[in-house]
Amino acid sequence: MQKNTWPRDRYTGPGGGLYTGPGGGLYTGPGGGAYTGPGGGLYTGPGGGLYTGPGGGLYTGPGGGLYTGPGGGLYTGPGGGLYTGPGGGLYTGPGGGKYTGSCENPYHSNLPPLKALLDYLTRTNNRNLLRQIEQHLA
């Protein structure tokens, strides 16, 4: 697991992407996907999910959550956030971003929680990315 990433699957139990307790993707405490402090998914500083610089969840370059190349949050190839195969953000099996069950190694991403991401893209009028994400969410 990379530093400053959070579970992004659809599991609501402990360690899941939709879990609000410690270690969850929607946890508001330190290190959580919905944490506003350093290292959190809603943090706007370096390494945060709402950071637009290198390594941030809203960064469009290599390693960023909005990067469309290998390893990026919007990459459609193996391991990418928009990949439908094993390990991808849109995979429905264990370890995938759309998996709803308990998993030893859940899908992780440095993107902020979905609502925060969509709010940001709407605020910045980024229609291309909004369309791309909405297309894959359907």
Side-chain angles (χ1 to χ4, degrees):
M1 175 178 69
Q2 288 179 313
K3 184 179 178 186
N4 293 339
T5 62
W6 312 273
R8 291 299 308 266
D9 60 8
R10 297 200 177 157
Y11 181 52
T12 57
L18 298 180
Y19 184 57
T20 58
L26 294 180
Y27 181 53
T28 57
Y35 182 53
T36 58
L42 296 180
Y43 184 55
T44 57
L50 291 177
Y51 184 55
T52 57
L58 300 179
Y59 184 55
T60 58
L66 297 182
Y67 184 53
T68 57
L74 297 181
Y75 183 53
T76 57
L82 298 181
Y83 183 56
T84 57
L90 297 180
Y91 184 55
T92 57
K98 282 191 161 183
Y99 189 57
T100 58
S102 176
C103 181
E104 200 171 304
N105 293 305
Y107 178 76
H108 278 71
S109 175
N110 62 343
L111 283 169
L114 187 59
K115 183 179 178 349
L117 174 61
L118 296 177
D119 287 350
Y120 170 81
L121 294 175
T122 300
R123 256 192 344 269
T124 59
N125 203 26
N126 199 326
R127 293 182 184 153
N128 289 335
L129 287 180
L130 273 170
R131 259 191 305 261
Q132 185 178 6
I133 292 169
E134 287 169 351
Q135 210 174 26
H136 290 282
L137 289 175

